[in-house]
Amino acid sequence: MGMGGLKKMALLDAQRRPPAWLRQLRETKKFFEPCSLHAGTLGHSTRSAGSCNYFCTSCDDGGALCSGCLADHAGHEIIQIRRSSSHCLVKVADLRRLLNVSYVQTYMINGEPGVFLDKRALSGKAKKPAANKCTECNRGLNDADCLFCSLGCKANGIEDLLDFNITFAVDPRGNSSGEESESESESETETESSDDDDTFLLPTKSRKLGTSPGSPRQVTARGRRSR
């Protein structure tokens, strides 16, 4: 391979890797904690007033933000963090312009697909044998077209697998978010916590999160046969 080919490969490899803000997002530990600046000052219009459930992808020192912090981030790309069973996730629609989430298992949140930020401990159904598993943590996946259970596992997979089909780069030609279906599966359930923002809450104490298919698999990873 000539020097030009090596440079092109290096550029493609750099483009497919996770952006710096995704690492900051995953490492932020204070989501859903009271904001040190605004807790108690925003009134009681919602159960989450003063709770840090936003993240700015435009700032180098990104951290957990509450609704009162957003005035200082006008014009920035802000994503809202959701929570299910104490684990953080983001709606696919909020990531569409920022991140390619193809090959990541999605879960239905109030009728919309969402993805978990990081892997979750294996327990219950997750420990049972499954035909399709996350290539990084072995969690069972409902969707045969997926390779990863979370954005964190996809980030690790990009480091582990030299496969240019696995990328976080958004395709400018169309939707590369992995959101291709609104079908819902009831084969996996999660219980959402009740301290999210009001738009995320439902009257019942527990809801089911189904799964939504990702993009068609086109790659072979760690000896697994592509479909």
Side-chain angles (χ1 to χ4, degrees):
M1 181 180 295
M3 184 62 67
L6 290 174
K7 287 183 177 180
K8 183 178 180 180
M9 180 175 291
L11 178 61
L12 290 173
D13 191 47
Q15 290 175 340
R16 74 191 184 100
R17 292 180 179 276
W21 63 261
L22 181 59
R23 179 180 292 275
Q24 294 174 349
L25 172 62
R26 293 174 54 206
E27 293 178 350
T28 298
K29 304 299 183 184
K30 295 186 177 181
F31 287 124
F32 300 100
E33 293 185 8
C35 178
S36 60
L37 298 176
H38 301 104
T41 67
L42 300 178
H44 301 283
S45 59
T46 67
R47 298 179 64 178
S48 60
S51 176
C52 295
N53 61 335
Y54 294 93
F55 181 86
C56 179
T57 67
S58 303
C59 293
D60 294 335
D61 56 346
L65 306 172
C66 78
S67 57
C69 299
L70 300 185
D72 295 330
H73 297 265
H76 293 186
E77 288 283 3
I78 305 294
I79 58 177
Q80 185 172 357
I81 310 304
R82 318 283 175 160
R83 185 159 68 171
S84 173
S85 302
S86 300
H87 297 281
C88 293
L89 65 164
V90 181
K91 287 185 177 181
V92 170
D94 294 342
L95 297 173
R96 183 176 291 111
R97 298 188 308 275
L98 303 171
L99 209 64
N100 183 329
V101 301
S102 58
Y103 301 116
V104 180
Q105 181 71 66
T106 58
Y107 300 85
M108 298 304 291
I109 311 167
N110 293 351
E112 296 184 50
V115 289
F116 282 97
L117 296 188
D118 274 306
K119 66 180 181 180
R120 295 159 287 157
L122 297 178
S123 61
K125 290 184 178 180
K127 287 186 175 181
K128 294 182 179 180
N132 192 49
K133 293 184 177 182
C134 175
T135 62
E136 293 297 310
C137 72
N138 289 323
R139 170 176 285 273
L141 304 176
N142 291 350
D143 189 346
D145 294 328
C146 291
L147 293 171
F148 310 105
C149 71
S150 65
L151 296 178
C153 281
K154 180 173 179 176
N156 294 335
I158 285 178
E159 296 288 340
D160 295 338
L161 306 171
L162 188 62
D163 193 313
F164 294 102
N165 289 299
I166 304 175
T167 179
F168 277 117
V170 175
D171 187 349
R173 297 171 299 178
N175 175 26
S176 58
S177 65
E179 182 184 352
E180 296 189 353
S181 172
E182 295 181 355
S183 63
E184 182 171 347
S185 168
E186 299 292 345
S187 57
E188 178 170 343
T189 61
E190 297 284 349
T191 302
E192 295 174 20
S193 60
S194 59
D195 50 4
D196 269 345
D197 62 290
D198 286 352
T199 60
F200 193 48
L201 293 173
L202 290 176
T204 54
K205 293 183 179 180
S206 64
R207 276 89 55 195
K208 289 184 176 180
L209 297 184
T211 60
S212 168
S215 302
R217 180 177 298 181
Q218 300 174 346
V219 301
T220 301
R222 292 185 178 178
R224 297 172 61 186
R225 185 170 57 191
S226 61
R227 293 176 173 80

